[in-house]
């Protein structure tokens, strides 16, 4: 076979292979095979030495033509394969913009948190600061300094989780009163919300963990009238302008005199209904004038200063505000319940 025939054979072989080639890798292999430095075309050119000088130009030209033809065919095929790959990719990545989007559930505040925020807003609006005390507390702050010495019957009503003989989970936020007085001189105007703990069995109105909001005002000349005015304003802001409060005498070791405070039922306005058990009134807090001994324990002179204090049960506020009859709903975190707020 002379060179011209060899070239023709290479051209034909290349044409056939390129026709069948289905991938860019195969195409590259064909390029190496026919046009590469060690390829078939080069091999033919290397035999040109055996030709006469007259024959060489024609064979050289024929070789160039074949090279150009194969190169052009490879280029064309490359473009074809790339376009095909691009089409397939676009098809794979098609987005149907008419499909409905995925709804994202947005969380929101737990009713205990949102009512507490409201309470804080109301008291801050009256010039109160918000403080916090520790949940693990000394017996001293939780009882002793609040005029509840060891053996005092008031200890029995607050079933206490003791950690050591002198350390416990606080049963009330009232210990914050002492902690604040130790660190601040009058005028004092604070609320101290937080979790409290009692060894109670769980039922519709009891939980071993619940929340209180302590309040205290200490200054010169503070009277029971200030307590009434402050809590009356609080009740009206929280439950509406028509709300009234009433005080009933009570006893707490750390206040003297002491009272329990009811608000008029905001559902029936005081006539009596299922919410207020036909009383017309709902108890929401305890309070009174800070006992002189408690002021003294806080390092404040009871001859010069006086104060009032109160303790609010947050769960009760929430239950009455939303008409809930079972406290457990507030802790179970059932989203079907929580989504209603
Ligand atoms: N600590 C009391 C309780 O847990 C509530 C309370 C009553 C707090 C009277 C007070 C107060 O500050 O003056 O039942």
């Amino acid at each position: 076979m002379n060179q011209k025939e060899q070239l023709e054979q290479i051209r034909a072989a290349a044409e056939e292979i390129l026709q069948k080639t289905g991938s860019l890798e195969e195409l590259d292999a064909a390029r190496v095979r026919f046009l590469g430095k060690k390829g078939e075309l080069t091999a033919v050119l290397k035999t040109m030495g055996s030709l006469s000088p007259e024959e060489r130009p024609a064979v050289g030209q024929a070789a160039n033509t074949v090279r150009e033809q194969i190169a052009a065919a490879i280029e064309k095929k490359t473009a074809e394969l790339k376009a095909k790959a691009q089409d397939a990719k676009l098809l794979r990545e098609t987005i149907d913009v008419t499909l409905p989007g995925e709804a994202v559930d947005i969380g929101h505040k737990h009713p205990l948190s949102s009512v507490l925020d409201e309470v804080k807003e109301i008291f801050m609006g009256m010039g109160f600061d918000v403080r916090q005390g520790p949940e693990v507390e000394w017996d001293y702050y939780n009882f002793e300094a609040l005029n509840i010495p060891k053996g005092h019957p008031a200890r029995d009503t607050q079933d206490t989780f003791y950690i050591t003989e002198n350390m416990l989970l606080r049963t009330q936020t009232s210990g914050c009163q002492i902690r604040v007085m130790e660190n601040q001189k009058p005028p004092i105007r604070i609320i101290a919300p937080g979790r409290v703990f009692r060894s109670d069995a769980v039922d519709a109105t009891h939980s071993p963990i619940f929340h209180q909001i302590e309040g205290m005002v200490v200054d010169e000349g503070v009277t029971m009238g200030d307590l009434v005015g402050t809590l009356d304003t609080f009740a009206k802001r929280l439950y509406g302008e028509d709300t009234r409060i009433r005080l009933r005498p009570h006893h707490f070791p750390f206040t003297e005199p002491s009272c329990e405070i009811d608000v008029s039922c905001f559902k029936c306005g005081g006539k009596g209904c299922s919410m207020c058990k036909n009383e017309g009134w709902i108890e929401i807090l305890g309070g009174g004038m800070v006992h002189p001994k408690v002021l003294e324990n806080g390092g404040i002179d009871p001859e010069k200063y006086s104060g009032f204090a109160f303790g609010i049960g947050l769960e009760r506020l929430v239950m009455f505000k939303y008409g809930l009859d079972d406290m457990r709903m507030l802790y179970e975190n059932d989203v079907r319940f929580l989504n209603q707020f």
Side-chain angles (χ1 to χ4, degrees):
M1 212 192 298
N2 66 26
Q3 279 92 345
K4 277 201 172 173
E5 285 163 348
Q6 284 177 355
L7 288 172
E8 176 52 29
Q9 204 172 50
I10 290 171
R11 200 197 53 73
E15 189 177 337
E16 195 190 327
I17 282 184
L18 287 182
Q19 208 134 61
K20 283 191 260 168
T21 301
S23 74
L24 290 166
E25 290 78 43
E26 282 170 13
L27 209 54
D28 203 46
R31 191 183 53 73
V32 171
R33 172 177 161 188
F34 296 113
L35 307 181
K37 263 192 207 152
K38 293 177 182 167
E40 294 184 12
L41 209 56
T42 313
V44 174
L45 290 174
K46 276 185 185 154
T47 65
M48 296 259 284
S50 65
L51 295 172
S52 67
E54 296 79 38
E55 286 171 313
R56 272 182 216 160
V59 172
Q61 193 158 26
N64 272 341
T65 309
V66 169
R67 172 184 293 282
E68 278 161 22
Q69 282 174 341
I70 296 176
I74 288 177
E75 202 176 314
K76 188 168 161 230
K77 190 78 187 186
T78 304
E80 264 174 41
L81 287 178
K82 279 192 175 159
K84 222 163 141 185
Q86 175 78 351
D87 283 351
K89 190 169 175 230
L90 286 177
L91 210 63
R92 262 200 322 276
E93 293 176 356
T94 302
I95 295 169
D96 182 352
V97 294
T98 64
L99 283 175
E102 264 176 54
V104 180
D105 271 342
I106 296 175
H108 55 86
K109 273 190 190 151
H110 190 280
L112 280 170
S113 300
S114 59
V115 173
L116 176 57
D117 283 351
E118 222 179 307
V119 171
K120 283 190 204 164
E121 279 296 319
I122 293 172
F123 279 106
M124 287 192 296
M126 292 193 274
F128 283 67
D129 287 334
V130 180
R131 298 294 171 78
Q132 259 179 339
E135 292 174 353
V136 176
E137 184 57 288
W138 297 109
D139 181 294
Y140 174 76
Y141 289 104
N142 195 78
F143 289 131
E144 204 81 33
L146 291 169
N147 210 20
I148 314 174
K150 292 216 162 63
H152 191 286
R155 290 200 181 215
D156 302 340
T157 63
Q158 306 202 358
D159 292 317
T160 311
F161 289 114
Y162 279 94
I163 292 169
T164 67
E165 205 188 321
N166 292 318
M167 197 191 279
L168 43 78
L169 294 181
R170 67 176 175 190
T171 60
Q172 50 185 356
T173 45
S174 300
C176 296
Q177 293 185 25
I178 307 293
R179 287 184 171 273
V180 169
M181 285 190 282
E182 281 180 348
N183 288 300
Q184 183 184 340
K185 293 302 140 209
I188 296 171
R189 222 182 285 149
I190 58 103
I191 57 165
R195 276 197 293 194
V196 299
F197 307 83
R198 291 186 197 180
S199 151
D200 264 334
V202 176
D203 66 24
T205 54
H206 292 88
S207 160
I209 305 177
F210 58 103
H211 300 78
Q212 289 186 334
I213 305 157
E214 195 72 18
M216 181 176 66
V217 170
V218 179
D219 201 354
E220 283 181 54
V222 174
T223 69
M224 198 82 178
D226 297 313
L227 167 83
V228 173
T230 303
L231 295 177
D232 186 60
T233 303
F234 166 67
K236 285 182 163 54
R237 299 237 166 108
L238 188 68
Y239 289 123
E241 279 304 309
D242 296 334
T243 312
R244 286 157 294 134
I245 63 167
R246 79 173 179 188
L247 280 62
R248 283 178 290 103
H250 199 75
H251 174 263
F252 296 106
F254 34 88
T255 42
E256 180 57 37
S258 305
C259 59
E260 279 188 328
I261 296 184
D262 304 336
V263 292
S264 55
C265 178
F266 34 85
K267 196 169 172 197
C268 64
K271 285 190 215 79
C273 68
S274 61
M275 171 111 91
C276 57
K277 301 205 175 83
N278 277 322
E279 297 270 338
W281 295 92
I282 292 166
E283 184 219 320
I284 59 162
L285 57 89
M289 298 304 290
V290 183
H291 196 290
K293 272 201 201 153
V294 173
L295 287 175
E296 239 166 51
N297 291 339
I300 286 174
D301 179 3
E303 295 295 327
K304 185 167 180 209
Y305 295 104
S306 58
F308 68 79
F310 55 89
I312 308 174
L314 179 60
E315 276 75 0
R316 282 180 75 82
L317 290 191
V318 175
M319 287 169 74
F320 286 122
K321 190 170 167 95
Y322 294 116
L324 311 177
D325 55 11
D326 195 328
M327 192 162 158
R328 285 169 286 201
M329 287 191 260
L330 292 171
Y331 306 122
E332 283 164 354
N333 284 334
D334 183 332
V335 286
R336 291 167 303 181
F337 168 75
L338 294 176
N339 277 340
Q340 297 174 55
F341 298 93

